Amino acid sequence: MSDEGFAAALPTLREALEAHGLWAKKAFGQHFLLDLNVTRKIARLAQVGAADLVIEVGPGPGGLTRALLETGARVIAVEKDERFRPLLDEVAAACPRLELVFGDALQVDEAALTDGQPAHLISNLPYNVGTPLLIKWLTGPWTPQSLTLMFQREVADRITAPAGDDAYGRLSVIVQATCTARRVLDAPARAFTPPPKVDSAVVRLEPRAERPEPRRLDALQAITAAAFGQRRKMLRASLKALGGEALAREAGLDPQARAEVIPVEGFLALADAWLARR
Ligand code: SAM
């Protein structure tokens, strides 16, 4: 059966929310995108099409889901809030390329979900779990083909910040060591229903072919936690428990430098020096 005209069979997003008596719940970080022009723009930025498999986290009322299905992609949508089941069942009935999974995305085994096929991750992320989900996808056993994700603008800034920038920190290092990262769209608070207190931005991440192996990533997490835990201190002090001045020298770095000015390669060198000592 052709499902290309699936959208015509569906009510508008506002009608669907009203028909099912649904409203946004703060506890689930719910701020909906009900403007299909915005969700279509995100689908375009994600660069997916008919040959692709997508995991969408948090479909909610399904605005981004509809735009992703319009590209011809197959979509596996993981939603924690059971209230959306009847509404999303209607979308899946209109378009069989949508598979629904109800559960916590933090607990989901993506490799099992996709049956080992490569997949793109696309989401207007719930603010309360956006960062832990990102860390899971970048450092866990399963790697997506690409990630196109909406974050609070402040988190997007941290993801893309270069060394020396005020927003540069642990998240910048972990993301940029594993991916190339670009901010591709700004979304003002008024684009969402209800509007959140802060603006948002979409970030596009492409995992590097030469992603650090798990052991190196674990070391990088330990080093960055210590270094940015006391970001105003010199490396020789903030890394004291991990090797301090000698470790910094072994990594080819000035022990008097502060974490905020050390580029990603410097942190990888610190991780390698630390592993070499163990
Ligand atoms: N995609 C929809 C949109 O753009 O209108 C909704 C986005 S809303 C910011 C976040 C969605 O993630 C909500 O539907 C929420 O219920 C869901 N969610 C929150 N925590 C989740 C989790 N741990 N696992 C899966 N979904 C979650």
Side-chain angles (χ1 to χ4, degrees):
M1 187 189 83
S2 164
D3 56 38
E4 274 161 27
F6 76 91
L10 292 169
T12 67
L13 291 165
R14 281 184 200 280
E15 285 166 355
L17 281 167
E18 213 173 286
H20 290 278
L22 291 165
W23 68 97
K25 256 193 187 171
K26 221 176 172 177
F28 285 111
Q30 290 174 347
H31 297 281
F32 304 135
L33 288 169
L34 301 182
D35 181 345
L36 284 176
N37 292 317
V38 177
T39 56
R40 284 183 181 133
K41 202 179 253 182
I42 297 171
R44 267 201 306 281
L45 289 165
Q47 299 170 36
V48 290
D52 292 310
L53 176 60
V54 171
I55 297 182
E56 187 201 356
V57 167
L64 182 54
T65 321
R66 291 186 190 198
L68 294 170
L69 290 168
E70 280 175 0
T71 70
R74 197 154 74 76
V75 178
I76 302 174
V78 182
E79 175 57 62
K80 189 172 173 181
D81 188 348
E82 279 279 349
R83 296 182 307 149
F84 284 94
R85 191 187 280 273
L87 182 157
L88 290 168
D89 276 345
E90 284 175 11
V91 184
C95 184
R97 283 179 285 110
L98 173 62
E99 184 186 328
L100 299 170
V101 175
F102 285 87
D104 184 345
L106 280 167
Q107 308 298 331
V108 151
D109 175 348
E110 291 86 357
L113 206 65
T114 54
D115 217 4
Q117 287 176 62
H120 301 266
L121 250 165
I122 304 169
S123 176
N124 172 17
L125 284 171
Y127 289 155
N128 41 357
V129 288
T131 309
L133 279 170
L134 179 61
I135 296 293
K136 176 192 180 199
W137 296 323
L138 297 185
T139 64
W142 179 82
T143 310
Q145 281 178 291
S146 72
L147 304 93
T148 307
L149 304 172
M150 178 84 80
F151 287 99
Q152 288 162 266
R153 189 153 314 162
E154 174 254 329
V155 178
D157 286 345
R158 282 164 50 209
I159 286 172
T160 54
D165 193 289
D166 280 350
Y168 185 66
R170 214 179 154 206
L171 189 61
S172 331
V173 176
I174 304 290
V175 171
Q176 294 168 34
T178 50
C179 296
T180 58
R182 271 182 314 130
R183 184 158 135 180
V184 290
L185 183 71
D186 286 335
R190 65 173 184 280
F192 301 85
T193 307
K197 289 204 179 73
V198 292
D199 291 335
S200 295
V202 175
V203 175
R204 163 110 183 146
L205 307 173
E206 290 180 20
R208 296 184 188 281
E210 69 292 3
R211 204 170 85 114
E213 60 183 74
R215 200 168 152 264
R216 209 172 172 215
L217 275 178
D218 289 346
L220 192 62
Q221 300 231 50
I223 294 283
T224 51
F228 287 105
Q230 305 178 70
R231 62 184 287 139
R232 301 273 167 223
K233 287 202 172 161
M234 296 177 190
L235 291 180
R236 68 174 186 211
S238 60
L239 297 181
K240 194 161 192 165
L242 303 174
E245 178 158 353
L247 183 79
R249 289 200 196 287
E250 282 154 31
L253 299 172
D254 176 1
Q256 298 200 38
R258 292 176 171 77
E260 56 205 9
V261 302
I262 305 294
V264 175
E265 302 74 46
F267 281 105
L268 284 167
L270 280 167
D272 292 339
W274 188 56
L275 284 173
R277 286 169 153 242
R278 304 181 88 211

